[in-house]
Amino acid sequence: MTSAFGRDLMAGPPPTHLPADPADAELSGGDAPAAVVRRHPASPAAWAALAQQALDAGADDVTVYAYARVGYHRSLDMLRRNGWKGHGPVPWEHEPNRGFLRALALLALAARAIGETDEWGRCSTFLRDSSPAAADALLG
């Protein structure tokens, strides 16, 4: 069924495409995630990079969880400011979405690591619902 405006009323919400995150260029340029977080504290990409760095360095799972949770909450703020209504696709293929998707995946993995199985389930499902490609790439 289509509306008078040509939109399929039975389809789900349109994909959310976040704007470019200035932290991405700085991280790609080799800047330390902690320094990028200080310059861009609202950046999901910066917090996801900090969580990944902590994970890679063997930091305590609670530390990784905390960094990823900040990135996740910063992501929700950004998603809402860009028209997201609490559900719908957030495509992995759109590179500025990757900070959110990485933060969500790292939160899921850290939740599982600390024994927070309900949170693991919610976050991994949310990731798969947002982007099956991201779930495949980040959770295996």
Side-chain angles (χ1 to χ4, degrees):
M1 172 194 293
T2 57
S3 73
F5 301 105
R7 182 163 177 252
D8 182 353
L9 298 177
M10 300 304 286
T16 299
H17 293 104
L18 294 173
D21 185 334
D24 282 328
E26 295 176 24
L27 293 163
S28 294
D31 289 8
V36 177
V37 162
R38 286 181 179 92
R39 289 191 298 270
H40 305 284
S43 166
W47 285 102
L50 192 59
Q52 186 66 58
Q53 181 184 52
L55 179 65
D56 293 346
D60 182 79
D61 294 326
V62 172
T63 299
V64 176
Y65 181 90
Y67 291 152
R69 177 150 294 283
V70 173
Y72 167 73
H73 281 285
R74 295 299 186 151
S75 298
L76 293 177
D77 295 340
M78 186 176 286
L79 285 163
R80 288 182 187 115
R81 281 193 309 270
N82 286 279
W84 183 76
K85 304 294 186 206
H87 66 284
V90 184
W92 173 254
E93 296 76 16
H94 181 68
E95 294 217 12
N97 290 347
R98 291 184 178 189
F100 155 64
L101 297 165
R102 285 187 177 112
L104 181 55
L106 286 160
L107 180 59
L109 294 168
R112 185 174 62 184
I114 66 171
E116 179 67 77
T117 53
D118 289 344
E119 182 81 347
W120 153 255
R122 282 189 301 274
C123 291
S124 59
T125 298
F126 183 15
L127 181 63
R128 185 152 307 278
D129 289 348
S130 297
S131 174
D136 291 346
L138 300 170
L139 298 180

